[in-house]
């Protein structure tokens, strides 16, 4: 936009989803995915005069159910309603056995809908996760109409969320839900620049040729989620060749990152999509407490400029990023580089 501002979609419906602990191997750790994350970004963008704020519109549950199993969405809805206000429910584990659904224990039943124990449920979680999908959809509708760049400040994040399993702080896959909203306009590319591989986004689009998934992320040999993200994962069936992973080594700094991003953008340009969805994680920052890349706040301008050079109407969907003191300035660098 000529004035430098882009539409920024937000909602405060997530703030009571505030898990304080995550369990790793049965030990509780402070939870980094905190409610202030999107607010810090929003405030910095407003301060820098880069944002036209838009509140999210509500959408029917059907938009979630076309990506996730309805039984999964309904489980989260009903489980959250059973919890006390401050209660935090961690799945007892991970189970593929439907017999666990008859357990008296909600934590055991939750293990059927989880692939890890780091996406706890609270009473406010369902509303938060649904509102995050609404934030993404509100942005997607504008991008479908041709808006050049829209930022959707989704929280909780989404790219780890699988068809019927939560994990990695994620419940509903906001980026893939948005991609489906954009499909009537034409083919969609998802470019995932979060530090972590978007296992959910990959799996939800793996057998499709109308959604290209391209991801730059920390090599799964060293980083979460560990079970996906290698370069040999290329799609299946008619989606063969429409999934592209670029695993990167720990300590990756901007020059190597930008060279790989340039390759990824060439792949996207060759696909010639009608619309682009960026899964935007700021956990590639050197100061991120749960990641090990070496990008600086100003480097996000180079990333934004490279993506903008694709010249595609683009929805930027917030994923991770946990260095609270760096989120605002990183987002200002990134959005400031968009035309
Ligand atoms: Zn991440």
């Amino acid at each position: 936009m000529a004035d430098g501002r882009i539409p920024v979609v937000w909602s405060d419906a997530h703030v009571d989803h505030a898990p304080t602990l995550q369990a790793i191997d049965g030990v509780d750790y402070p939870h980094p995915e905190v409610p202030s994350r999107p607010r810090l970004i929003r405030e910095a963008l407003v301060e820098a005069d880069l944002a036209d704020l838009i509140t999210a519109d509500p959408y029917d549950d059907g938009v979630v159910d076309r990506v996730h199993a309805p039984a999964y969405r309904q489980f989260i809805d009903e489980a959250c309603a059973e919890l006390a206000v401050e209660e935090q429910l961690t799945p007892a584990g991970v189970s593929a056995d439907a017999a666990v659904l008859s357990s008296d224990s909600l934590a055991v039943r939750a293990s059927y809908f989880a692939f890890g124990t780091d996406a706890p449920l609270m009473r406010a979680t369902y509303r938060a996760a649904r509102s995050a999908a609404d934030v993404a959809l509100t942005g997607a509708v504008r991008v479908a109409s041709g808006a050049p760049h829209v930022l959707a400040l989704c929280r909780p994040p989404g790219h780890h969320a699988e068809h019927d399993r939560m994990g990695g702080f994620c419940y509903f896959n906001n980026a893939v839900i948005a991609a489906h909203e954009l499909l009537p306009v034409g083919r969609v590319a998802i470019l995932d620049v979060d530090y972590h591989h978007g296992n959910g986004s990959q799996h939800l689009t793996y057998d499709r040729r109308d959604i290209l998934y391209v991801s730059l992320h920390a090599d799964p040999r060293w980083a979460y989620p560990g079970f996906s993200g290698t370069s040999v994962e290329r799609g299946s069936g008619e989606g063969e060749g429409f999934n592209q992973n670029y695993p990167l080594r720990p300590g990756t700094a901007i020059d190597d990152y930008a060279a790989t991003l340039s390759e990824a953008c060439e792949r996207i340009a060759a696909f010639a999509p009608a619309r682009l969805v960026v899964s935007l994680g700021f956990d590639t920052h050197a100061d991120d407490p749960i990641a090990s890349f070496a990008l600086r706040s100003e480097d996000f301008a180079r990333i934004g400029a490279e993506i903008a050079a694709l010249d595609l109407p683009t929805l930027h969907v917030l994923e991770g990023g946990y260095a609270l003191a760096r989120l605002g300035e990183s987002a200002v660098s990134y959005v400031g580089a968009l035309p």
Side-chain angles (χ1 to χ4, degrees):
M1 281 186 178
D3 60 9
R5 293 196 296 270
I6 68 166
V8 173
V9 190
W10 69 286
S11 163
D12 263 346
H14 65 88
V15 294
D16 292 330
H17 167 67
T20 52
L21 298 170
Q22 62 164 326
I24 301 175
D25 292 338
V27 178
D28 286 336
Y29 294 89
H31 205 296
E33 205 287 289
V34 295
S36 61
R37 299 174 51 251
R39 176 178 56 78
L40 291 166
I41 292 173
R42 187 185 78 220
E43 288 173 355
L45 292 173
V46 167
E47 174 73 23
D49 200 20
L50 290 170
D52 284 325
L53 295 182
I54 296 166
T55 51
D57 297 318
Y59 290 85
D60 291 343
D61 292 333
V63 293
V64 175
D65 292 350
R66 68 188 173 193
V67 169
H68 294 283
Y72 166 69
R73 183 185 54 73
Q74 287 157 14
F75 172 81
I76 297 175
D77 187 6
E78 290 163 15
C80 291
E82 284 187 40
L83 299 173
V85 170
E86 295 294 321
E87 192 178 355
Q88 185 172 318
L89 181 92
T90 297
V94 175
S95 176
D97 183 354
V100 300
L101 293 175
S102 333
S103 171
D104 289 339
S105 160
L106 186 56
V108 170
R109 297 203 297 278
S111 66
Y112 190 69
F113 295 109
F115 68 86
T117 55
D118 51 6
L121 295 177
M122 301 183 70
R123 181 183 273 193
T125 301
Y126 179 74
R127 180 159 180 255
R130 272 299 281 108
S131 80
D134 287 343
V135 168
L137 285 159
T138 303
V141 165
R142 288 181 173 249
V143 171
S145 310
H149 293 281
V150 178
L151 173 60
L153 289 178
C154 298
R155 179 186 177 270
H159 73 152
H160 295 303
E162 300 272 2
H163 178 64
D164 55 3
R165 289 184 187 268
M166 55 196 172
F169 317 158
C170 299
Y171 306 87
F172 300 135
N173 199 307
N174 307 314
V176 174
I177 289 169
H180 278 256
E181 184 68 25
L182 292 166
L183 273 177
V185 187
R187 295 190 295 184
V188 179
I190 300 175
L191 171 61
D192 192 329
V193 296
D194 186 273
Y195 173 82
H196 303 96
H197 182 246
N199 55 288
S201 302
Q202 169 170 300
H203 293 147
L204 288 165
T205 60
Y206 209 55
D207 60 356
R208 307 188 68 113
R209 59 191 302 126
D210 52 356
I211 303 178
L212 171 72
Y213 178 72
V214 176
S215 178
L216 282 70
H217 50 268
D219 193 312
R221 285 178 290 177
W222 297 292
Y224 185 91
F227 57 75
S228 67
T230 67
S231 54
V232 300
E233 295 155 29
R234 305 258 300 132
S236 64
E238 68 173 44
E240 176 82 45
F242 294 89
N243 192 91
Q244 184 84 51
N245 288 321
Y246 297 94
L248 297 165
R249 59 176 175 75
T252 294
I254 188 60
D255 285 345
D256 286 346
Y257 192 91
T260 308
L261 179 62
S262 177
E263 252 184 80
C265 287
E266 278 173 34
R267 177 69 188 88
I268 290 168
F271 179 65
R275 297 292 184 270
L276 176 65
V277 175
V278 176
S279 267
L280 179 60
F282 292 106
D283 43 5
T284 48
H285 196 290
D287 293 351
D288 196 276
I290 67 166
S292 66
F293 280 178
L295 303 192
R296 313 305 314 192
S297 301
E298 59 271 24
D299 295 336
F300 288 92
R302 201 157 148 193
I303 295 171
E306 179 83 33
I307 292 170
L310 284 165
D311 198 21
L312 290 165
T314 302
L315 177 68
H316 308 262
V317 174
L318 182 63
E319 301 283 0
Y322 308 99
L324 300 181
R326 301 293 177 221
L327 281 179
E329 63 193 34
S330 299
V332 165
S333 292
Y334 181 86
V335 173
L338 305 176

